[in-house]
């Protein structure tokens, strides 16, 4: 596996692959890789001849009181895991490479509407930071395909809309959430949990499944959401939201015209904020 640190190195690699007739899949990550990320690498492999993973803890998607500084940075281990997974290149830029004018002067792209709800209302500016860094990575690497996890359901929806709205050439593809045996969605933030919190954490997944079953049994959204909040609080969580939404655009569900839905939860356990979802 090759490692690129500068934009010049990354573009040279991509240009070489293109001259050989190979297409390129991009897997953006913040590093500290786990099986969820590696499943995306494997899926990317089946889509394109070449796979690039980016490892970049993006400052613009963290709020002032969030975990940007303590976010786990494990580039050496990440490189080994990517190489083992058959990734062709790791792009490991520093902040100046991604934001040449500095973060304060950086251009930003906003996706109105869907960026302001759910995680967007709890984390103001988060999705502008995400959309902006993803657009930067797209421009740097010019991938044919970009792979994202459904774990971050709202993020995936926003990136799909970004690509469509700005006529980006890249094909955005989503892949299912990878879970631990007890159902907890894998996340780099799970390691913030102490033993008792880790034991409590799978309540999120159980609650999502119960929300799905209740909807399938015809229970009203308000009922299902109230029960989910109750369960989460009883399990020691402080929920930001536990909700049923239209899976196509995250708008509130209309009981009259029912289509695909998604149950979504964001909840705090101590200082750790966990998110998960279940489309059905
Ligand atoms: P992150 O490093 O957390 O920014 O995640 C990088 C990519 O991996 C995003 O597309 C995430 O949605 C995806 N991802 C994170 N956790 C999982 C998981 N448990 N299963 C599948 N994809 C995941």
């Amino acid at each position: 596996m090759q490692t690129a640190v500068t934009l010049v190195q990354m573009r040279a690699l991509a240009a070489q692959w293109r001259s050989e007739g190979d297409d390129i899949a991009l897997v953006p990550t913040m590093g500290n890789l786990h099986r969820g990320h590696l499943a995306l690498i494997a899926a990317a492999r089946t889509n394109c001849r070449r796979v690039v993973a980016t490892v970049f803890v993006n400052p613009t998607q963290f709020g002032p009181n969030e975990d940007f500084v303590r976010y786990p940075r494990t580039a050496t281990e990440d490189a080994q895991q990517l190489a083992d997974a058959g990734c062709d290149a790791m792009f490991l830029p520093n902040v100046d490479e991604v934001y040449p004018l500095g973060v304060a002067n950086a251009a930003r792209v906003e996706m109105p509407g869907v960026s302001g709800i759910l995680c967007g209302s709890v984390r103001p500016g988060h999705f502008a930071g995400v959309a902006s860094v993803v657009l930067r990575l797209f421009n740097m690497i010019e991938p044919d395909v970009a792979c994202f996890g459904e774990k971050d359901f709202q993020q995936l929806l926003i990136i799909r809309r970004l690509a469509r709205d700005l006529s980006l050439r890249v094909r955005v593809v989503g892949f299912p959430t990878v879970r631990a045996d007890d159902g907890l969605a894998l996340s780099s933030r799970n390691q913030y949990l102490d033993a008792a919190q880790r034991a409590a954490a799978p309540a999120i997944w159980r609650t999502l499944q119960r929300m799905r079953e209740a909807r399938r049994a015809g229970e009203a959204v308000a009922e299902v959401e109230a029960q989910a909040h109750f369960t989460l609080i009883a399990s020691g969580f402080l929920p930001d939201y536990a909700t049923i939404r239209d899976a196509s655009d995250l708008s509130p569900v209309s009981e009259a015209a029912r289509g695909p839905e998604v149950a979504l939860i964001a909840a705090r356990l101590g200082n750790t904020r966990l998110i998960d979802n279940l489309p059905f």
Side-chain angles (χ1 to χ4, degrees):
M1 186 182 71
Q2 316 242 31
T3 299
V5 174
T6 65
L7 177 56
V8 169
Q9 291 167 341
M10 186 61 244
R11 286 213 161 124
L13 268 177
Q16 186 200 321
W17 294 337
R18 268 185 218 301
S19 75
E20 293 163 4
D22 293 347
D23 55 1
I24 301 173
L26 169 65
V27 181
T29 82
M30 298 204 298
N32 193 242
L33 302 180
H34 51 64
R35 284 188 295 113
H37 298 112
L38 300 176
L40 288 183
I41 301 292
R45 281 239 68 86
T46 68
N47 273 270
C48 290
R49 301 253 316 164
R50 299 288 187 173
V51 178
V52 183
T54 60
V55 171
F56 180 64
V57 184
N58 172 39
T60 66
Q61 72 188 70
F62 288 81
N65 299 316
E66 294 184 356
D67 55 344
F68 175 67
V69 173
R70 71 168 178 143
Y71 196 86
R73 289 160 171 86
T74 52
T76 310
E77 292 83 351
D78 293 345
Q80 190 58 55
Q81 294 203 72
L82 290 173
D84 293 346
C87 192
D88 294 282
M90 171 167 83
F91 183 37
L92 189 72
N94 64 32
V95 173
D96 299 338
E97 205 69 24
V98 178
Y99 295 99
L101 303 185
V103 165
N105 295 315
R108 258 193 321 174
V109 50
E110 304 256 6
M111 292 304 298
V114 77
S115 285
I117 60 172
L118 302 174
C119 283
S121 71
V122 184
R123 306 180 69 188
H126 170 66
F127 287 118
V130 169
S132 302
V133 79
V134 168
L135 182 59
R136 283 165 191 272
L137 296 173
F138 286 173
N139 285 331
M140 290 172 155
I141 297 164
E142 300 184 78
D144 299 277
V145 172
C147 302
F148 295 89
E150 283 175 2
K151 156 83 166 42
D152 300 280
F153 194 92
Q154 188 174 7
Q155 166 175 286
L156 174 58
L157 182 74
I158 288 166
I159 291 163
R160 285 191 199 284
R161 288 172 69 102
L162 176 79
R164 175 164 172 232
D165 194 44
L166 298 182
S167 310
L168 304 184
R169 227 184 95 270
V170 63
R171 187 159 60 86
V172 175
V173 190
F175 295 95
T177 302
V178 177
R179 301 177 178 283
D181 288 341
D182 59 11
L184 179 65
L186 298 187
S187 164
S188 306
R189 290 189 167 103
N190 291 349
Q191 62 195 262
Y192 297 154
L193 302 172
D194 66 28
Q197 291 169 335
R198 176 63 189 78
I204 292 185
W205 173 235
R206 288 196 298 273
T207 305
L208 286 169
Q209 290 174 299
R210 237 176 278 135
M211 292 169 81
R212 176 184 62 185
E213 296 327 312
R215 282 299 286 160
R216 284 185 170 158
E219 264 183 54
V221 167
E223 222 33 60
V224 175
E225 293 181 350
Q227 183 60 47
H229 274 90
F230 180 83
T231 308
L232 289 169
I233 290 165
S235 308
F237 290 87
L238 266 181
D240 283 340
Y241 57 79
T243 187
I244 303 283
R245 295 295 172 105
D246 184 318
S248 68
D249 60 3
L250 293 178
S251 64
V253 165
S254 136
E255 300 284 356
R258 285 191 57 181
E261 298 178 3
V262 56
L264 305 117
I265 290 176
R268 282 164 215 276
L269 205 46
N271 292 325
T272 305
R273 185 173 182 276
L274 301 176
I275 62 169
D276 199 356
N277 68 82
L278 178 58
F280 54 94

